[in-house]
Amino acid sequence: MFVARSIAADHKDLIHDVSYDFHGRRMATCSSDQSVKVWDKSENGEWHCTASWKTHSGSVWRVTWAHPEFGQVLASCSFDRTAAVWEEIVGESNDKQRGLSHWIKRTTLVDSRTSVTDVKFAPKHMGLMLTTCSADGVVRIYEAPDVMNLSQWSLQHEISCKLSCSCISWNPSSSRAHPPMFAVGSDDSNVMYGGKVQIYEYNENTRKYAKAETLMTVTDAVHDIAFAPNLGRSFHVLAIATKDVRIFKLVPMRKESSSTGSTKFEVQIVAQFDNHNSQVWRVSWNITSTLLASSGDDGCVRLWKGASSPLATLTAGHSCTGSCYLFTMLVVSSTVQTDTQQVLCGFCCRSIRDKFSKELKHSLQLDLW
Amino acid sequence: MEKMSRVSTALSSSAVSGRTMFCHLDAPANAISVCRDATQVVVAGRNIFKIYALEEEQFVEKLNLRVGRKPSLNFSCADVMWHQMEENLLATAATNGAVVTWNLGKPSRNKQDQLFTEHKRTVNKVCFHPTEVYMLLSGSQDGFMKCFDLRKKESVSTFSGQSESVRDVQFSMKDYFTFAASFENGNVQLWDIRRPDRYERMFTAHTGPVFCCDWHPDDRGWLATGGRDKMVKVWDMTTNRAKEIYCVQTIASVARVKWRPEKKFHLATCSMMVDHNIYVWDIRRPFIPFATFEEHKDVTTGIVWRHQHDPHFLLSGSKDSTLYQHMFKDATCPVDKANPEGLCFGLFGDLAFAAKESLISSDASRKPYPGGDRRYPIFFFKKPDPTEQFAHVSSVLSVFETDLDSNRMDWFVKTAQLYLLSGKPFAELCDHNAKVAQELKRPQVSTTWTMLRIMFSDPANLTTPVANHSLSKLGTLPLMNSFNLKEIGAGIGTESRLERSKGEIRQDNMHLEAGNSTISNNNEENEETEGSEGQAEYMFGDAELDDDDLYSMEHDNQTVEEQEYTLPQESFSLISISQPLFSPHLPASFFCPIVREMLSYYAEQGDVQMAVSVLIVLGDRIRKEIDDLTQEHWYMSYIDLLQRFELWNVSNEVIKLSTCSAITCLNQTSTTLHINCSNCKRPMSNKGWICDRCHQCASVCAVCHHVVKGLFVWCQGCSHGGHLEHIMNWLKSSAHCPAGCGHLCEYT
């Protein structure tokens, strides 16, 4: 069961992004009203807005948290063509109205000449790095050489993706066997331009990011993209929000020891769901990557549960091909009303399960063959 | 005739003619203006002064007004305006301070009509009166505004703003005598044309220069102003004091602002620097442009709606030397690309979801999917009036909290806290962990621990009561497996799971049969090691098996092996009853491939906790089987997870117990603390408790006055401190420093 807790966000325009911090106790929202709000969870589970400030002079598209090792740091990106890095200062403010904590701007990244559509911190093991992508199709990777000095960022890489970018996702794998890798999605709606998801990988020899893969089957506008948390898996799982929800598996091909080129991937589509019957806007993985949430123009959040097919594990025999994902829809949350607590929908309700078991069997068989 | 039809098409918005088109100019444009019937446009700039005809498909150059071998500075225009009543009359503002009027009806090549050289500096703006034919107003950098009667040689009146330079002057649409002027110091003044001595009203509209102003065309007394502070403000001038009723925040300084015809709440803006786009805003939604035109490659300098009753065409001139006709249909709408929803999975399985209100409410009112046809086209949801829909939006933010344990990750935290990874004999660790998993209702994991115990531990230990307990569990192994699978798979793949477990057993079986004969040759070494382990445990009766123990025992392998084969029979028979497959003389290494499979399986499933825990508990038994990179990856992932849940102690324990060098070094960094002596305040150089310089004990507990050897806690304010326990006790009774320094100590 899910319990909906409605929060009076009090943003004056659309909220474009919500983001939990590393420990799941803080939340940041950003809106077209040019502000970012930070919410803290109290002991009794209520969310309180502890900071709200004007961040940009345009719609704020995304907000994201840095790893807490670097402090309480947020990054935001906006229609005003900038991305900004914010740090929370506790108890130093002279301004009484702002309360105990306030956020100060550490830097503004002004390299983009068009709207900055997404901003993401790179995985922690890479250091303090920030990636932005913009509507003119450029991905920029910044690095703070001194993690104590958040106001100094140097532009390390500038990668042109040719297509208007809408979202970016880092491969979270911390394995040394996986070079740094990120995926970029494009919201260009022209089907003729081909694959809308590109995957770039860092090449140790050239010290540059090079395109490793383009998912040619995704030709519609992509609005969100998310690598699943990689908890010791040898392959990568990528969820894509386009006109439907798609889940891809990227299996790195075993590299010859001395090969210098980029990794080749065996790309498999694992699942494709059109249950939203409309544009899908967001996808998000849970921490163990067993659940995927998606939301679409139908106003529903849907949860997809991954279950690995055990036979695949056994017959394959190598850990690298590993388990194969089967997804089934579990929850359809529909109405959100103003009641603070409302039970939405059963989790394992039989009707849903029955409906999908047939589908599932089918796909399972396919998998086995 | 042509003219007539154009006007009529422009007026009836249903039939729009024309297209988005552009032409190259010879030089950058500074300003543009259209004639009343929207058939011609004049482009003026420092080096250009031309008239183009607006045709269906293209711009056609009609006339070059810049004539003469050496054009005078009078041709260098900062602004241009086409008279809205007299179609042959134009006025330009020259950069040298001249105000020039042009009569297109003149037969000569030079169309210059009148020349007023009264301003001392650049004239920024000229404006014809909307209804009075011969009245022209100018505003200049020198801070004066002048009103000209075109029938006279000189200005009729001069208005001194007594502020700074005038950036814009605009006659009111509503009031015959009123005009507005905007200034570089942020002021806007209202003047009565009959009273040049004093302004009627003045207010500060912006911080920094006000570059432009525009009266609402539907005489409502609304004045829009735009400034360098990146804002467009709409003022209601009908009240006694100008009231700001709307404020639009743009991304760059606002150079021009023009109300959109026929659309009450729309206005177009362009910027002076950086931003080359033209935005059309709905002032009711001041944060995001309703539409943008992104064609220009350089700063847009002039914008004008093609016809005063046609909202569909916008003309613009730019520093990039192009003249564009934009069609509204071709505009990009940033809102379409804007994400109306935000979604994020929290650490504890809760979901934060923000969505546009209309999406959710429409969903609430909508009936469930009608049977069968579930495919609506996307446009099904669109409401009829897009602008109305555009103006009123808001989002709903909610957090979905799960009360399902499996999603809330409680199991993970509990497991992490309760698992024992070291400090006890292997079998006990396994049993303990199995019990933990069992209590957390994770039978598959529990069974795995039990199996591990059986596989790897010396059967001699099975005589303990704990062993019996676990054996009884083992007896129901296949059944349990199927149960837990049902749970994990949430009703899916149950059959397949069962099959899997069967398969595993089958595989085991196979291995066993094949293995029985070959095992002694294959894994002699391992067998010996295993034997020695058993022996080690047997002999010392305690604790984990260190490498040292193993090596020290290596020499009497032979005897150990003998011993293993003469095990007490009863314990052995117990196993064979429940699980006849596992005969006791199988070496542990035989199971390694299976265990490796199993660990990979757990890892790929997202349960890296299990993989790492087993890895640590099994230690050397399995480590060689899994390549270092994978191990490191597992460790890293698990540590990251533990830190997410703020399980620092567990994470540190895992780091300590890990065998990967890359992991163990994680808690070896930044472990040095530099301290100063509390007496002489100088840095402590050597080890120990005595300061080199003052020869006193440096870190003395403020409570018991003894040297602190161990955990030392101190207040960062007064630097006094002492034993953790003592300070804690002290703080229960008093908030002041125990050293008596009067400081209100703060400990975090």
Side-chain angles (χ1 to χ4, degrees):
Chain A
M1 298 283 206
F2 273 80
V3 175
R5 200 187 276 271
S6 176
I7 298 171
D10 200 30
H11 275 294
K12 292 182 182 62
D13 206 304
L14 286 187
I15 297 173
H16 296 297
D17 199 15
V18 204
S19 171
Y20 277 106
D21 79 332
F22 187 74
H23 298 300
R25 305 204 187 281
R26 312 191 86 185
M27 189 166 75
T29 55
C30 66
S31 157
S32 260
D33 69 5
Q34 306 170 354
S35 69
V36 165
K37 288 181 193 233
V38 172
W39 306 80
D40 283 339
K41 196 178 190 176
S42 63
E43 292 299 319
N44 56 4
E46 307 248 348
W47 290 93
H48 297 286
C49 178
T50 51
S52 170
W53 72 102
K54 183 177 179 296
T55 49
H56 289 273
S57 47
S59 297
V60 189
W61 297 136
R62 299 267 198 165
V63 63
T64 186
W65 294 85
H67 191 278
E69 192 176 293
F70 306 115
Q72 290 296 308
V73 178
L74 277 174
S76 58
C77 66
S78 162
F79 182 73
D80 73 0
R81 306 165 175 196
T82 64
V85 177
W86 307 87
E87 188 180 18
E88 187 180 37
I89 303 294
V90 178
E92 274 180 34
S93 170
N94 302 324
D95 193 348
K96 284 276 188 289
Q97 289 175 329
R98 287 164 129 174
L100 264 178
S101 78
H102 69 281
W103 291 77
I104 58 173
K105 190 193 273 187
R106 288 301 187 195
T107 195
T108 309
L109 306 169
V110 294
D111 299 281
S112 175
R113 312 207 63 177
T114 53
S115 172
V116 183
T117 47
D118 199 355
V119 63
K120 291 276 155 67
F121 283 100
K124 190 198 80 182
H125 63 270
M126 292 172 60
L128 186 50
M129 289 180 111
L130 188 67
T131 326
T132 64
C133 70
S134 53
D136 57 0
V138 182
V139 173
R140 292 182 176 83
I141 301 177
Y142 300 88
E143 184 172 12
D146 176 9
V147 294
M148 300 304 288
N149 182 5
L150 289 170
S151 44
Q152 208 178 51
W153 293 82
S154 58
L155 181 58
Q156 297 285 330
H157 301 278
E158 218 170 16
I159 304 142
S160 176
C161 303
K162 308 286 193 298
L163 287 171
S164 151
C165 301
S166 61
C167 48
I168 192 164
S169 176
W170 278 96
N171 176 14
S173 169
S174 56
S175 167
R176 277 191 289 134
H178 303 144
M181 178 168 93
F182 63 86
V184 193
S186 166
D187 58 356
D188 195 305
S189 49
N190 192 338
V191 178
M192 300 304 290
Y193 290 158
K196 293 302 185 316
V197 175
Q198 300 175 11
I199 290 158
Y200 288 85
E201 196 186 54
Y202 186 67
N203 188 317
E204 204 63 58
N205 294 11
T206 58
R207 302 183 176 212
K208 278 194 173 117
Y209 283 87
K211 198 191 286 181
E213 199 72 55
T214 305
L215 302 184
M216 295 310 288
T217 50
V218 185
T219 51
D220 294 283
V222 170
H223 293 281
D224 200 10
I225 192 166
F227 270 106
N230 186 322
L231 302 172
R233 266 195 315 260
S234 54
F235 57 92
H236 315 296
V237 178
L238 183 67
I240 294 166
T242 172
K243 63 175 201 241
D244 46 23
V245 180
R246 281 185 216 183
I247 299 162
F248 283 91
K249 187 166 129 183
L250 304 167
V251 185
M253 309 280 243
R254 204 154 281 266
K255 239 197 298 193
E256 289 84 64
S257 53
S258 60
S259 79
T260 53
S262 59
T263 324
K264 288 269 174 291
F265 291 97
E266 187 193 333
V267 181
Q268 304 164 2
I269 183 153
V270 178
Q272 184 169 3
F273 310 109
D274 57 357
N275 302 62
H276 281 290
N277 289 317
S278 58
Q279 184 67 63
V280 182
W281 287 106
R282 284 286 194 235
V283 283
S284 179
W285 291 95
N286 75 341
I287 189 63
T288 48
S289 72
T290 47
L291 281 173
L292 176 74
S294 66
S295 71
D297 255 342
D298 57 353
C300 288
V301 177
R302 285 161 208 269
L303 290 190
W304 314 91
K305 179 151 187 154
S308 60
S309 151
L311 277 166
T313 337
L314 270 182
T315 48
H318 304 292
S319 58
C320 64
T321 44
S323 55
C324 128
Y325 269 65
L326 291 176
F327 283 80
T328 179
M329 188 177 76
L330 282 182
V331 172
V332 185
S333 76
S334 45
T335 18
V336 179
Q337 290 177 0
T338 44
D339 311 11
T340 46
Q341 294 218 333
Q342 191 204 2
V343 177
L344 282 182
C345 176
F347 192 70
C348 324
C349 76
R350 189 158 280 264
S351 59
I352 294 177
R353 205 167 75 194
D354 291 345
K355 200 189 272 174
F356 283 89
S357 58
K358 210 178 274 173
E359 256 173 56
L360 190 94
K361 249 181 226 159
H362 182 63
S363 57
L364 201 125
Q365 272 162 6
L366 282 179
D367 240 295
L368 293 181
W369 294 118
Chain B
M1 189 58 209
E2 164 68 23
K3 209 187 288 175
M4 284 303 293
S5 71
R6 175 61 52 87
V7 172
S8 64
T9 54
L11 283 174
S12 60
S13 57
S14 53
V16 187
S17 70
R19 64 183 187 98
T20 296
M21 58 186 183
F22 76 100
C23 73
H24 286 289
L25 309 172
D26 312 328
N30 272 346
I32 60 169
S33 185
V34 271
C35 69
R36 181 191 165 87
D37 57 16
T39 53
Q40 289 181 323
V41 57
V42 57
V43 182
R46 203 168 270 270
N47 295 308
I48 184 172
F49 191 20
K50 278 183 181 173
I51 290 174
Y52 288 87
L54 282 161
E55 297 193 348
E56 199 79 11
E57 292 291 318
Q58 60 187 348
F59 290 103
V60 175
E61 186 178 330
K62 276 280 182 222
L63 188 63
N64 189 356
L65 290 159
R66 221 180 134 82
V67 289
R69 204 171 300 139
K70 191 173 159 239
S72 79
L73 275 176
N74 296 345
F75 288 105
S76 173
C77 306
D79 190 33
V80 63
M81 186 166 180
W82 204 312
H83 204 290
Q84 292 303 298
M85 307 196 40
E86 183 61 61
E87 65 176 27
N88 280 332
L89 196 55
L90 283 101
T92 58
T95 47
N96 64 352
V99 173
V100 193
T101 59
W102 311 79
N103 188 349
L104 301 181
K106 270 192 170 180
S108 69
R109 275 187 70 217
N110 191 342
K111 310 284 185 190
Q112 185 172 331
D113 192 16
Q114 292 249 53
L115 177 69
F116 305 97
T117 49
E118 290 179 40
H119 285 294
K120 292 185 181 60
R121 295 179 63 189
T122 301
V123 181
N124 286 321
K125 192 75 192 172
V126 284
C127 180
F128 283 111
H129 195 277
T131 50
E132 195 62 51
V133 179
Y134 296 109
M135 198 183 287
L136 175 68
L137 190 66
S138 68
S140 158
Q141 198 73 19
D142 62 11
F144 292 98
M145 295 146 280
K146 286 178 188 290
C147 184
F148 304 95
D149 186 329
L150 299 184
R151 293 162 294 194
K152 293 176 183 167
K153 289 278 177 216
E154 285 178 355
S155 63
V156 282
S157 47
T158 300
F159 310 87
S160 169
Q162 293 184 336
S163 292
E164 281 196 37
S165 308
V166 186
R167 293 310 295 241
D168 200 357
V169 283
Q170 292 287 343
F171 276 108
S172 165
M173 299 285 183
K174 181 188 184 185
D175 198 339
Y176 182 89
F177 296 110
T178 308
F179 71 88
S182 71
F183 293 85
E184 270 191 1
N185 62 356
N187 287 344
V188 170
Q189 295 178 351
L190 281 196
W191 290 81
D192 188 319
I193 204 85
R194 299 160 295 186
R195 289 197 58 191
D197 55 325
R198 220 194 114 72
Y199 53 79
E200 296 277 288
R201 190 191 286 180
M202 178 170 85
F203 60 94
T204 304
H206 294 266
T207 53
V210 187
F211 289 133
C212 52
C213 59
D214 193 33
W215 291 93
H216 198 284
D218 306 333
D219 62 359
R220 207 165 317 161
W222 281 9
L223 180 72
T225 59
R228 197 170 67 189
D229 59 1
K230 305 180 183 177
M231 288 199 253
V232 176
K233 292 182 180 178
V234 178
W235 305 86
D236 184 357
M237 307 298 282
T238 55
T239 52
N240 281 335
R241 290 190 58 197
K243 202 173 85 189
E244 181 188 323
I245 45 176
Y246 293 103
C247 178
V248 174
Q249 171 87 59
T250 72
I251 68 172
S253 59
V254 182
R256 310 269 175 185
V257 55
K258 287 273 179 266
W259 288 96
R260 187 176 174 201
E262 310 286 307
K263 300 280 177 186
K264 183 178 167 187
F265 295 103
H266 286 191
L267 50 80
T269 66
C270 67
S271 163
M272 190 164 280
M273 298 183 290
V274 192
D275 194 358
H276 313 152
N277 296 348
I278 302 163
Y279 300 101
V280 178
W281 302 85
D282 188 315
I283 51 174
R284 293 167 297 179
R285 190 173 175 188
F287 305 112
I288 186 162
F290 179 71
T292 58
F293 299 103
E294 298 168 346
E295 283 85 356
H296 284 299
K297 302 280 181 291
D298 202 340
V299 172
T300 308
T301 48
I303 49 172
V304 60
W305 294 94
R306 193 171 101 174
H307 191 274
Q308 53 186 325
H309 294 292
D310 180 4
H312 299 287
F313 290 97
L314 181 75
L315 299 168
S316 68
S318 160
K319 281 241 159 67
D320 65 4
S321 304
T322 55
L323 172 66
Y324 258 94
Q325 169 169 283
H326 308 279
M327 207 172 147
F328 217 82
K329 208 176 65 195
D330 297 333
T332 50
C333 296
V335 178
D336 291 348
K337 292 203 167 186
N339 228 321
E341 287 175 345
L343 182 70
C344 190
F345 239 120
L347 193 58
F348 305 96
D350 39 350
L351 260 174
F353 177 53
K356 194 174 170 181
E357 203 152 24
S358 60
L359 290 180
I360 295 179
S361 57
S362 71
D363 177 76
S365 60
R366 218 167 56 213
K367 281 176 225 84
Y369 293 130
D373 181 23
R374 291 162 58 189
R375 268 161 218 284
Y376 297 103
I378 291 170
F379 53 79
F380 182 87
F381 300 107
K382 285 240 169 94
K383 284 180 183 151
D385 185 1
T387 63
E388 278 308 305
Q389 207 187 357
F390 175 84
H392 305 287
V393 287
S394 64
S395 281
V396 177
L397 176 64
S398 39
V399 172
F400 299 104
E401 286 166 5
T402 171
D403 53 1
L404 209 72
D405 284 343
S406 62
N407 287 353
R408 220 171 39 202
M409 299 295 291
D410 284 356
W411 60 267
F412 177 86
V413 178
K414 290 226 177 79
T415 311
Q417 286 168 338
L418 295 176
Y419 266 4
L420 282 181
L421 301 178
S422 66
K424 283 192 175 163
F426 171 73
E428 273 180 51
L429 291 179
C430 285
D431 280 332
H432 176 88
N433 294 346
K435 211 194 282 173
V436 168
Q438 186 74 20
E439 271 158 18
L440 290 167
K441 302 198 175 64
R442 301 173 71 211
Q444 189 187 18
V445 173
S446 170
T447 316
T448 307
W449 281 112
T450 318
M451 280 170 64
L452 282 174
R453 180 191 126 87
I454 295 191
M455 285 173 181
F456 286 95
S457 68
D458 179 22
N461 291 332
L462 292 178
T463 43
T464 57
V466 195
N468 281 331
H469 172 67
S470 71
L471 277 178
S472 67
K473 258 188 279 170
L474 250 186
T476 59
L477 177 69
L479 196 62
M480 285 237 245
N481 234 356
S482 67
F483 268 137
N484 97 75
L485 289 168
K486 216 180 259 169
E487 207 172 87
I488 288 178
I492 55 132
T494 310
E495 304 92 322
S496 73
R497 294 287 191 140
L498 262 173
E499 232 173 295
R500 184 237 170 201
S501 53
K502 271 181 216 152
E504 194 176 325
I505 291 164
R506 215 184 303 130
Q507 203 188 35
D508 293 351
N509 216 339
M510 220 162 59
H511 273 282
L512 280 170
E513 278 158 6
N516 267 336
S517 55
T518 54
I519 225 139
S520 44
N521 338 338
N522 272 352
N523 300 313
E524 206 156 32
E525 224 177 308
N526 285 328
E527 203 175 351
E528 282 167 10
T529 321
E530 160 65 12
S532 71
E533 269 172 32
Q535 181 64 5
E537 258 171 62
Y538 199 68
M539 283 171 71
F540 298 115
D542 76 346
E544 68 226 90
L545 303 150
D546 294 341
D547 286 347
D548 301 0
D549 290 85
L550 282 179
Y551 291 126
S552 66
M553 295 310 293
E554 205 86 48
H555 61 271
D556 48 21
N557 272 337
Q558 298 301 322
T559 53
V560 168
E561 234 170 339
E562 287 290 46
Q563 223 174 2
E564 203 187 23
Y565 286 113
T566 57
L567 282 166
Q569 232 12 140
E570 23 177 314
S571 69
F572 182 45
S573 61
L574 256 176
I575 312 169
S576 40
I577 290 164
S578 56
Q579 198 77 28
L581 296 176
F582 296 100
S583 54
H585 51 267
L586 274 175
S589 62
F590 163 74
F591 297 108
C592 283
I594 302 168
V595 173
R596 192 186 61 205
E597 279 293 290
M598 189 246 340
L599 291 186
S600 305
Y601 166 75
Y602 275 113
E604 319 260 276
Q605 236 196 349
D607 189 2
V608 74
Q609 180 176 46
M610 186 66 189
V612 172
S613 303
V614 171
L615 203 60
I616 292 175
V617 169
L618 284 181
D620 282 339
R621 299 176 181 87
I622 189 73
R623 202 191 308 144
K624 283 181 252 80
E625 292 288 326
I626 298 164
D627 70 304
D628 287 345
L629 270 183
T630 311
Q631 283 193 39
E632 192 185 313
H633 189 194
W634 289 352
Y635 275 118
M636 288 297 269
S637 309
Y638 186 43
I639 290 165
D640 186 71
L641 260 186
L642 290 171
Q643 290 181 346
R644 268 184 192 273
F645 285 97
E646 301 174 54
L647 298 164
W648 312 110
N649 292 337
V650 183
S651 126
N652 196 46
E653 194 192 348
V654 169
I655 293 174
K656 238 164 62 187
L657 291 171
S658 74
T659 46
C660 298
S661 54
I663 304 297
T664 40
C665 73
L666 281 180
N667 60 2
Q668 305 295 319
T669 53
S670 309
T671 50
T672 315
L673 267 183
H674 297 281
I675 54 169
N676 287 354
C677 168
S678 60
N679 292 317
C680 60
K681 308 279 186 282
R682 270 179 284 188
M684 299 274 286
S685 50
N686 66 345
K687 293 166 187 171
W689 291 278
I690 312 268
C691 170
D692 278 351
R693 294 194 177 79
C694 58
H695 302 289
Q696 298 227 3
C697 288
S699 40
V700 176
C701 174
V703 180
C704 68
H705 300 287
H706 283 103
V707 177
V708 185
K709 303 176 178 177
L711 283 178
F712 183 82
V713 61
W714 74 94
C715 164
Q716 301 211 330
C718 65
S719 77
H720 292 116
H723 293 102
L724 177 63
E725 254 175 71
H726 293 164
I727 296 290
M728 275 166 74
N729 285 335
W730 178 271
L731 287 175
K732 275 179 202 155
S733 54
S734 168
H736 290 272
C737 177
C741 67
H743 186 253
L744 275 168
C745 288
E746 285 176 42
Y747 292 95
T748 48

